Amino acid sequence: MTRRLAMSQKRLRGVPRHLRALDRWAESFKDGFPDLRPTVQRGERYYNWKLPVHASLVQGKHAPTAQRAKCAELMLKACAYLMAAKPEQWKKVRVTAVITQPDMFCSELCLYIDEAYFQSHVNAAPAEGRLSARWQLQIPANMQEVGIAFTVEGDDGEMFPVEHWYFGEVSNDFLN
């Protein structure tokens, strides 16, 4: 499955097929956890997989909330599989699904190897409410949710709001 940018504002064709492909991607994490030794040896602080979809599936005027929510739930499914498959030697690695709004195409599954690096991402102003309630997401029982909000400057110099929603092993008592 590959990621594709949207070069036009046309409605994406074959949405059910794209969702089935995303479900197969999520299933590929069942009973498998990556070997993080090369990543650690290179001194990298995280390991990630970008959301492998066509951009029009998750953002733009032709991506309804229900469709984006289905993609988010499939990301959570993949995250749950990774959490379940995590070996004891990597127990301090945080497994998360990061859902970004409004640019959901930037969402990713992320394994945070460095705790300080994770904390640098989530120590910002909390987002209002919960994405899971807003989108009626079905979250696995062993996952937590943390949202942060901030503003970024666009290419035109205008500031716009952004939210990052972290699901998975995100609670402060994770390391205990």
Side-chain angles (χ1 to χ4, degrees), residues 25-34 36 47 49 72-98 108-112 118 138-146 166-171 173-175:
W25 173 77
E27 287 291 327
S28 73
F29 292 98
K30 197 174 197 174
D31 300 324
F33 196 84
L36 295 177
Y47 189 92
W49 297 265
E73 284 185 339
L74 291 171
M75 284 187 68
L76 298 182
K77 180 181 182 180
C79 184
Y81 284 149
L82 281 170
M83 288 170 63
K86 184 167 59 168
E88 182 64 25
Q89 76 187 65
W90 302 116
K91 72 178 184 174
K92 295 205 183 260
V93 170
R94 286 187 187 258
V95 179
T96 65
V98 184
E108 63 187 2
L109 288 179
C110 196
L111 306 179
Y112 285 95
F118 171 76
Q138 301 299 313
I139 301 177
N142 61 341
M143 285 191 184
Q144 300 89 37
E145 173 182 9
V146 171
Y166 292 81
F167 294 86
E169 297 170 332
V170 298
S171 71
D173 61 347
F174 168 73
L175 295 175

Side-chain angles (χ1 to χ4, degrees), residues 24-108:
R24 284 190 304 275
W25 173 77
E27 287 291 327
S28 73
F29 292 98
K30 197 174 197 174
D31 300 324
F33 196 84
D35 180 7
L36 295 177
R37 288 176 298 189
T39 305
V40 170
Q41 289 169 351
R42 287 190 301 268
E44 295 176 18
R45 301 184 290 183
Y46 70 99
Y47 189 92
N48 71 327
W49 297 265
K50 291 290 189 181
L51 183 61
V53 297
H54 191 286
S56 295
L57 186 67
V58 293
Q59 62 191 41
K61 65 182 182 181
H62 297 296
T65 300
Q67 187 171 297
R68 290 182 288 143
K70 179 64 178 170
C71 292
E73 284 185 339
L74 291 171
M75 284 187 68
L76 298 182
K77 180 181 182 180
C79 184
Y81 284 149
L82 281 170
M83 288 170 63
K86 184 167 59 168
E88 182 64 25
Q89 76 187 65
W90 302 116
K91 72 178 184 174
K92 295 205 183 260
V93 170
R94 286 187 187 258
V95 179
T96 65
V98 184
I99 300 171
T100 58
Q101 289 298 304
D103 190 7
M104 192 170 172
F105 189 63
C106 292
S107 298
E108 63 187 2

Side-chain angles (χ1 to χ4, degrees), residues 107-140:
S107 298
E108 63 187 2
L109 288 179
C110 196
L111 306 179
Y112 285 95
I113 299 164
D114 182 333
E115 180 63 18
Y117 190 64
F118 171 76
Q119 292 299 330
S120 74
H121 282 96
V122 297
N123 284 334
E128 286 186 28
R130 293 177 53 218
L131 184 66
S132 59
R134 202 181 312 160
W135 285 2
Q136 286 124 26
L137 298 176
Q138 301 299 313
I139 301 177

